[in-house]
Each structure stands twice: as structure tokens, then as C-alpha cells.
Amino acid sequence: MLPSRRGRPARVPAALALLLATAATGVLAACGDTGGLESAGATPAAHHPARLWPGLTPASSPAYDIGEVEHAPMKGVAVPGGDIRRADPVAAVRAEIAAHPDDYAGAGARYHETSARMADCGADGAGDEPGGCPVLRPYYRDLTGDGRPEMTLGFRLLPDRLTAVRVYTVEKDRLVRIMSYEDAVSAVELAGRTVIVRSPSEVAGYEYRLQWTWDADQRAMLLTSDEMLRTGDGGRHARRPSASPSPSVSRSAAPSSSAPAAPSASPSASAR
């Protein structure tokens, strides 16, 4: 019964009573339905991180200088019209070789074969063929967010089975290196505004995955992630060669006619 406007009980219409009874029956049936909500059990208690050795004196400086920030103008490399696609990638590698003669010049240098094979590089670009020019073809993508592309470049470090990975930008019509890394590289990927480098691990079924991201304050690509991930491959990997300590560890625009389109998500641009 429902109250009337004058306080006296009013009769519920038969149709409305039937509707209310049907709805109540449906609610009761839903409560016992096996497809309803079920408890997932007790929620584990949250624990804050346990700080070890609270009396330990905090370090004020790093123990080793690994050069986290890489911002190096490349002397002698022209950037016609400020367009990085018109900069010669081979000239950029030659400038780096000239700046590090101990690593490249002479038969006793670690990467002397790289220096020797630069003679096989054409004046207008780079090659990917084994046994020829060690400079890999460049990829172009906006990694700094300024609307202009950067150049991601790789070259082989020979006779060692290492690959150097570099990223360059343009500042005031100058070519500037903003990321530098070298290792035994399995693949290089561009994902959004990051550079991802994958390297083999000496642990079977795992690989290293390093990620660089642009930092406007440092004006460089910084190493923001360094992790060891399972690959699903249970095979044994060769022992990972050590990267040279000399380079710093600081990853879409349309590509040039000599380079394939940069991947839109994260397909691998493998360095062979």
C-alpha cells in the first residue's frame, strides 16, 4: 500500500504490484546466478619499502664517469639549409673516427678495420652490405618533439662484432650528437620518441633491453631504462662483449630516398 496525499493508505494497482513482485524475484535470482560477482579473496597487505643500512652515508658523486649526457657538436659536418636529411651520415662517422684516433687509426687500434673500410663508403650515403662500408643506413624521426627529425645512425666496429648506435640533431645549422652507445647489438627500435637497443645476454633465454629518452633540460637522450628480459628462447647466447668505455651512454618524419620508412611503432631495425 502507498500513502495517499491526505495520509490515508492508497490501494496499489494490480499491474504495479505484479511488476514489483517480478522485479524482486529477478533480484533474488541474480544473487544466486553463477555469473554474478564473486569474491577474489583477501587483499594482501601493502608494505612500504624496507630501507637497508639507514646509517650509511649517502654518496655525493658517482664512482665512475660513464658519460650519461651526450651533447657533442660534430666538427666539419655540413647541414645544408639546417635539414638533417641533407647531412652526410658517412661524414659524421668520419668525423668521429678523426676525433678518436687511438680507437681507429693504425693497425694496433681496436677498430682499425672500421677505419680501413670507410674507403668503401660512397659520398652520397651509406651501405648495409657485409664486407663493405661499415656505416648502416640512417633513419629519420622526431625524437626531441620540436617537429624536426633527428638522424639515428649505426656503424659496425670492426673487427669486433660490435655496433655503434648514434643519434644526431641540428642546432643552429650544426650537427650535434645527442646519444652514443655501442655493444653487441641484436636490434635497434624506434618507438615514439625513444630509442630501444636490444643486446644478447650471457644468460640463456634472456636479453638486455636499454631505452633512451629525450631530456630537454640536458639536451640529450638519457638512458631511462636498463633491464634484463626473458626472450622465450632457451638457447645459449654467446657471452656479451663489453662496450668500449670511450663513447658516452647518454632511442615520424618521412625518410630520405636512400632510407626505408622508419617503423611506426616498434618493429626492429636490426643492425646486422
Side-chain angles (χ1 to χ4, degrees):
M1 303 293 287
L2 299 177
S4 68
R5 292 184 180 180
R6 296 181 179 180
R8 293 181 297 179
R11 184 176 299 276
V12 177
L16 179 58
L18 178 61
L19 178 62
L20 292 176
T22 303
T25 303
V27 171
L28 293 176
C31 292
D33 190 359
T34 56
L37 297 178
E38 296 181 4
S39 174
T43 302
H47 297 281
H48 61 79
R51 181 179 179 182
L52 307 186
W53 309 300
L56 189 66
T57 303
S60 59
S61 61
Y64 304 100
D65 181 11
I66 61 173
E68 292 95 339
V69 178
E70 175 76 5
H71 186 274
M74 306 303 294
K75 296 180 180 180
V77 182
V79 186
D83 184 356
I84 199 168
R85 294 186 187 87
R86 299 177 64 187
D88 184 359
V90 174
V93 176
R94 286 191 173 123
E96 183 166 332
I97 290 175
H100 300 91
D102 293 343
D103 292 333
Y104 297 96
R110 182 175 183 182
Y111 307 129
H112 63 89
E113 190 175 333
T114 293
S115 181
R117 288 194 186 179
M118 292 299 294
D120 298 328
C121 297
D124 58 348
D128 293 340
E129 295 301 323
C133 175
V135 183
L136 305 176
R137 67 184 63 189
Y139 286 79
Y140 299 91
R141 175 176 292 188
D142 180 9
L143 298 172
T144 64
D146 64 356
R148 301 183 303 171
E150 275 64 51
M151 177 171 67
T152 302
L153 183 63
F155 60 96
R156 296 186 180 89
L157 298 172
L158 305 168
D160 290 357
R161 300 181 63 181
L162 302 177
T163 301
V165 180
R166 307 288 189 259
V167 175
Y168 302 91
T169 191
V170 176
E171 294 182 1
K172 298 179 180 179
D173 294 339
R174 297 185 308 168
L175 191 69
V176 178
R177 189 175 63 230
I178 56 173
M179 179 218 155
S180 177
Y181 181 72
E182 55 195 46
D183 203 344
V185 174
S186 301
V188 179
E189 302 170 358
L190 299 178
R193 293 177 181 170
T194 64
V195 178
I196 301 170
V197 178
R198 299 179 183 271
S199 298
S201 166
E202 60 271 23
V203 180
Y206 287 83
E207 70 175 2
Y208 293 100
R209 182 182 184 273
L210 294 84
Q211 177 175 305
W212 281 262
T213 306
W214 169 254
D215 187 285
D217 293 334
Q218 300 297 329
R219 298 164 62 199
M221 305 285 290
L222 300 186
L223 181 61
T224 53
S225 177
D226 184 353
E227 53 188 347
M228 191 177 191
L229 300 176
R230 181 181 292 275
T231 63
D233 178 11
R236 303 291 298 181
H237 288 156
R239 185 170 181 81
R240 184 191 192 204
S242 299
S244 170
S246 56
S248 299
V249 177
S250 334
R251 124 58 52 145
S252 169
S256 68
S257 58
S258 62
S264 58
S266 59
S268 171
S270 298
R272 291 175 291 173

